Amino acid sequence: MNGRDFARQRALITWRARSEAHRRKAMARLIRQAGAVVVFVSGKLVGYRLPDGFVVCEKRRYRTESAALLELANVQLFTRLNGPRRIPIRAYQCTHCHGWHLTSQREAA
């Protein structure tokens, strides 16, 4: 199973889960089938490392910085129009999957 298939299956599990217990059980089955290893950083689930070394992050992955920045602009506009929420303020390159993610946290000094 490649990273794209794993990410797709994980998304389907999340959307279709009838309960948190059902989601956990289905994710455990997917992790076993894929031969993946759960990646934790500072006690927080970051993603899943597949046998080929590819990491599927918990956050949505953008392939390029420009794609992430475009989505950042769209999210900020939509959120301003539809009420208060945590608004992403920047894009950053992930050290695990080497893709781009959005975050609402300021950059560390």
Side-chain angles (χ1 to χ4, degrees):
M1 177 177 296
N2 63 25
R4 178 186 227 171
D5 294 336
F6 186 91
R8 194 172 287 141
Q9 289 297 319
R10 182 179 55 97
L12 287 173
I13 289 168
T14 302
W15 293 331
R16 293 179 178 169
R18 297 181 300 266
S19 65
E20 180 61 23
H22 179 259
R23 188 194 67 77
R24 275 194 306 256
K25 190 174 182 178
M27 279 304 299
R29 188 176 332 115
L30 175 63
I31 291 166
R32 245 189 342 271
Q33 286 174 348
V37 176
V38 181
V39 178
F40 287 96
V41 175
S42 300
K44 182 178 176 187
L45 174 64
V46 173
Y48 309 91
R49 182 175 304 281
L50 300 177
D52 64 0
F54 189 81
V55 175
V56 177
C57 285
E58 279 290 297
K59 288 187 171 186
R60 179 172 286 164
R61 180 180 185 267
Y62 300 94
R63 294 182 78 183
T64 63
E65 182 179 18
S66 59
L69 293 174
L70 180 62
E71 183 64 17
L72 177 64
N74 289 336
V75 169
Q76 288 176 338
L77 177 64
F78 178 79
T79 306
R80 283 194 194 105
L81 296 174
N82 293 308
R85 268 184 42 198
R86 287 187 76 161
I87 301 173
I89 59 171
R90 67 182 178 92
Y92 69 94
Q93 190 166 24
C94 180
T95 57
H96 301 288
C97 71
H98 305 292
W100 291 82
H101 301 299
L102 304 180
T103 184
S104 59
Q105 296 181 2
R106 299 240 178 254
E107 197 160 2

